[in-house]
């Protein structure tokens, strides 16, 4: 019955063929990019090895949030001294990784494409679980506010295997 209704509809915006429908869907989905590769992240962020701490963005909602992934490997330079025989990802690097995911959201806000954002504050950060080589850190960072087109505040969470590893509020300032 729904087929008959669709055939008898007067809506002229419906595609007339499968090929046309496919083309229309491609146009709609390609307008908003929701994932980013390492190379695309490097086009947005100024960070480079060994300080680029986001491997990929697996979800992005413009002006709202991004979800990024950091694959933690034993060959990273911080593990030589933190700690020999028991490598733990330093909390400050977990916070920095969350901030870089937040940078993906901020750098794509209208008018901020050429800006450089730096930390203006870090509040309510708590570490709930150790992060070790072999873990995959999944970070969700949501934009809370932008004030005076210069300051941003974000809520960040980092998880490993669905367990909360760290969370907190991150504040950013746009510098010239």
């Amino acid at each position: 019955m729904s087929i008959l209704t669709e055939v008898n509809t007067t809506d002229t915006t419906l595609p007339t063929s499968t090929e046309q429908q496919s083309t229309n869907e491609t146009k709609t989905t390609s307008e908003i990019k929701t994932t980013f590769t390492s190379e695309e992240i490097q086009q947005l962020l100024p960070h480079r090895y060994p300080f680029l701490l986001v491997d990929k963005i697996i979800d992005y909602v413009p002006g709202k949030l991004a979800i990024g992934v950091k694959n933690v490997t034993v060959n990273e330079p911080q593990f030589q001294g933190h700690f020999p025989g028991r490598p733990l990802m330093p909390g400050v690097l977990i916070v920095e990784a969350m901030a870089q995911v937040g940078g993906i959201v901020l750098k794509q806000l209208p008018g901020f494409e050429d800006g450089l954002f730096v930390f203006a504050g870090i509040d309510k950060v708590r570490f709930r679980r150790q992060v070790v080589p072999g873990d995959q850190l999944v970070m969700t960072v949501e934009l809370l506010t932008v004030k005076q087109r210069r300051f941003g505040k974000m809520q960040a969470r980092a998880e490993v295997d669905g367990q909360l590893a760290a969370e907190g509020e991150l504040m950013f300032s746009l510098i010239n």
Side-chain angles (χ1 to χ4, degrees):
M1 185 136 178
S2 63
I3 295 173
L4 182 58
T5 305
E6 193 172 297
V7 170
N8 292 330
T9 185
T10 58
D11 185 0
T12 58
T13 61
L14 289 175
T16 57
S17 71
T18 307
E19 183 179 320
Q20 230 179 347
Q21 184 174 359
S22 176
T23 302
N24 287 346
E25 288 173 3
T26 302
K27 286 180 185 175
T28 303
T29 57
S30 66
E31 290 174 11
I32 299 174
K33 186 156 184 57
T34 59
T35 62
F36 297 90
T37 65
S38 178
E39 292 82 11
E40 292 168 325
I41 292 168
Q42 290 181 55
Q43 292 174 1
L44 293 167
L45 298 179
H47 307 81
R48 295 296 178 266
Y49 177 84
F51 224 70
L52 180 58
L53 301 174
V54 182
D55 294 322
K56 63 183 174 179
I57 298 295
I58 58 174
D59 195 15
Y60 167 71
V61 179
K64 293 188 180 187
L65 70 85
I67 301 173
V69 173
K70 160 77 175 131
N71 295 306
V72 182
T73 62
V74 74
N75 61 339
E76 295 175 42
Q78 68 269 14
F79 293 126
Q80 291 179 13
H82 200 270
F83 295 98
R86 187 161 181 190
L88 298 175
M89 185 169 182
V92 295
L93 293 183
I94 296 170
V95 173
E96 175 64 28
M98 292 189 300
Q100 289 178 18
V101 173
I104 297 295
V105 176
L106 292 172
K107 286 290 286 187
Q108 296 183 86
L109 291 174
F112 291 139
E113 298 88 349
D114 295 326
L116 176 62
F117 288 92
V118 296
F119 271 127
I122 304 168
D123 288 336
K124 302 176 188 171
V125 172
R126 297 290 181 263
F127 301 100
R128 309 288 186 191
R129 176 193 192 285
Q130 295 176 354
V131 178
V132 299
D135 286 345
Q136 186 176 66
L137 197 60
V138 178
M139 301 157 288
T140 304
V141 184
E142 181 177 0
L143 182 62
L144 299 175
T145 61
V146 174
K147 294 184 180 177
Q148 301 172 358
R149 302 217 22 97
R150 185 179 170 158
F151 298 100
K153 184 175 186 179
M154 306 185 99
Q155 179 65 42
R157 294 176 52 90
E159 298 177 344
V160 174
D161 296 328
Q163 296 177 338
L164 184 62
E167 64 183 335
E169 293 177 358
L170 311 176
M171 282 72 64
F172 300 88
S173 177
L174 175 65
I175 61 172
N176 296 332

